[in-house]
Amino acid sequence: MLQYIKNRGFTEKFREDINSMKPCLFVAKTDNKDDDKWLPLYVHLKDTAGVMRKLIKIWLADSVIKAAGLDFESFLKAACFLAAIHDIGKATSYFQSIITSKLPEKREELNKNGFVVGDVYRDAGKTPHAYAGEEIIKHLFGRQDLSEKEKLKINNYASVVGAHHGKPKSDEYVSGVKVDYFSYYKRNIFGTKEDKVIILWEKAWNRIIETAFAESRVEGFEELPDINLEAQTIISGLLIIADWIAS
């Protein structure tokens, strides 16, 4: 279904479709005191990446980066990329249904643009945006022809997204057994089973990924470094800080 091709680039038509999407469609945050105030998702992701870059450059000790097993530039690329995608799980039907519950005009705008944002979802508490984001990263980058090393790299990045609120997701999180997340929770993620709507959500995610590549100064996922457990742990902690500051 995805048009993300084997050389890990996008077809020109798919890239044009991604770039034509309105960046302000998705809501990331609202004001607790004023329902009319809201923050676009793309702004929050860009802010978080900017804060992450600043933290690493002027605050983080060199010894911490060394403990992650990476050189400075590699660490910076990985951390900024993760900061720029950490809330990709907010670009889902379930999350947007919650965040726009008091923003009827935004919900109407999303639906008018082809996205499905409704009211009926499956075990909604099982698909918080951090865990949804983890699964989205696996979904976007995972392919059958990947080596075990490449799959591990994807899972390592995805796990940081899933842990950015301090609680990593286990494989058995859903109901005590492993399930196909996207099949089991299709309505929560896409709002529908219609292929044309599913593709629209995927295009939105790919726009976030493209922007994250730019924020981290890389051309594609293959230019990002592998991150071991130590790096994942350190970047997860930094991400929690950057996310809080950017909020």
Side-chain angles (χ1 to χ4, degrees), residues 57-75:
K57 285 191 170 183
I58 69 172
W59 178 74
L60 193 66
D62 292 341
S63 58
V64 176
I65 297 175
K66 184 178 180 180
L70 296 170
D71 60 68
F72 179 84
E73 288 300 326
S74 295
F75 185 89

Side-chain angles (χ1 to χ4, degrees), residues 130-197:
Y131 298 167
E134 178 175 350
E135 295 299 327
I136 287 169
I137 298 307
K138 294 177 183 178
H139 177 71
L140 290 179
F141 290 107
R143 296 195 316 274
Q144 292 296 323
D145 63 327
L146 294 176
S147 68
E148 290 304 312
K149 182 178 180 180
E150 289 172 315
K151 291 177 182 177
L152 179 60
K153 178 180 175 181
I154 292 166
N155 288 340
N156 288 345
Y157 274 83
S159 68
V160 176
V161 173
H164 82 264
H165 279 293
K167 187 178 180 181
K169 177 177 72 63
S170 67
D171 286 339
E172 289 75 28
Y173 172 78
V174 180
S175 58
V177 296
K178 290 184 179 181
V179 300
D180 184 321
Y181 192 94
F182 273 76
S183 295
Y184 195 79
Y185 290 126
K186 183 167 285 187
R187 181 171 294 277
N188 298 30
I189 303 299
F190 303 111
T192 181
K193 295 181 179 179
E194 293 184 42
D195 284 347
K196 66 179 182 179
V197 179

Side-chain angles (χ1 to χ4, degrees), residues 35-48:
D35 292 339
D36 291 328
K37 292 181 179 179
W38 59 276
L39 182 69
L41 177 58
Y42 90 98
V43 173
H44 176 60
L45 293 175
K46 189 174 182 64
D47 286 348
T48 306

Side-chain angles (χ1 to χ4, degrees), residues 2-247:
L2 282 173
Q3 296 183 51
Y4 199 84
I5 56 181
K6 285 190 176 181
N7 64 3
R8 297 175 185 168
F10 294 100
T11 62
E12 286 305 313
K13 176 64 169 60
F14 196 56
R15 191 185 298 276
E16 289 172 6
D17 289 345
I18 293 170
N19 291 335
S20 68
M21 297 185 73
K22 296 179 181 178
C24 288
L25 277 177
F26 303 111
V27 180
K29 298 178 182 292
T30 55
D31 192 298
N32 291 330
K33 297 179 180 179
D34 188 343
D35 292 339
D36 291 328
K37 292 181 179 179
W38 59 276
L39 182 69
L41 177 58
Y42 90 98
V43 173
H44 176 60
L45 293 175
K46 189 174 182 64
D47 286 348
T48 306
V51 171
M52 179 68 84
R53 184 173 293 276
K54 185 70 72 172
L55 284 173
I56 293 170
K57 285 191 170 183
I58 69 172
W59 178 74
L60 193 66
D62 292 341
S63 58
V64 176
I65 297 175
K66 184 178 180 180
L70 296 170
D71 60 68
F72 179 84
E73 288 300 326
S74 295
F75 185 89
L76 185 64
K77 288 176 182 178
C80 287
F81 177 75
L82 284 161
I85 65 168
H86 78 280
D87 268 349
I88 195 170
K90 289 185 175 181
T92 55
S93 182
Y94 173 61
F95 183 87
Q96 290 302 307
S97 76
I98 296 173
I99 201 78
T100 63
S101 61
K102 294 183 180 180
L103 295 168
E105 292 181 359
K106 284 301 299 177
R107 178 176 292 210
E108 183 180 0
E109 182 183 10
L110 280 163
N111 284 313
K112 280 185 175 180
N113 277 273
F115 297 93
V116 174
V117 178
D119 299 298
V120 180
Y121 297 94
R122 182 174 192 172
D123 299 334
K126 292 290 186 179
T127 56
H129 74 272
Y131 298 167
E134 178 175 350
E135 295 299 327
I136 287 169
I137 298 307
K138 294 177 183 178
H139 177 71
L140 290 179
F141 290 107
R143 296 195 316 274
Q144 292 296 323
D145 63 327
L146 294 176
S147 68
E148 290 304 312
K149 182 178 180 180
E150 289 172 315
K151 291 177 182 177
L152 179 60
K153 178 180 175 181
I154 292 166
N155 288 340
N156 288 345
Y157 274 83
S159 68
V160 176
V161 173
H164 82 264
H165 279 293
K167 187 178 180 181
K169 177 177 72 63
S170 67
D171 286 339
E172 289 75 28
Y173 172 78
V174 180
S175 58
V177 296
K178 290 184 179 181
V179 300
D180 184 321
Y181 192 94
F182 273 76
S183 295
Y184 195 79
Y185 290 126
K186 183 167 285 187
R187 181 171 294 277
N188 298 30
I189 303 299
F190 303 111
T192 181
K193 295 181 179 179
E194 293 184 42
D195 284 347
K196 66 179 182 179
V197 179
I198 291 173
I199 290 172
L200 196 60
W201 285 104
E202 289 175 333
K203 286 178 178 177
W205 300 337
N206 277 300
R207 177 165 187 173
I208 291 171
I209 295 296
E210 284 276 79
T211 303
F213 286 152
E215 288 288 342
S216 52
R217 314 291 198 268
V218 300
E219 293 294 326
F221 192 72
E222 69 278 3
E223 292 187 17
L224 292 168
D226 293 335
I227 50 174
N228 59 23
L229 183 58
E230 289 77 11
Q232 292 169 55
T233 303
I234 291 167
I235 294 174
S236 293
L238 280 173
L239 183 52
I240 291 171
I241 296 171
D243 189 16
W244 176 73
I245 294 173
S247 299

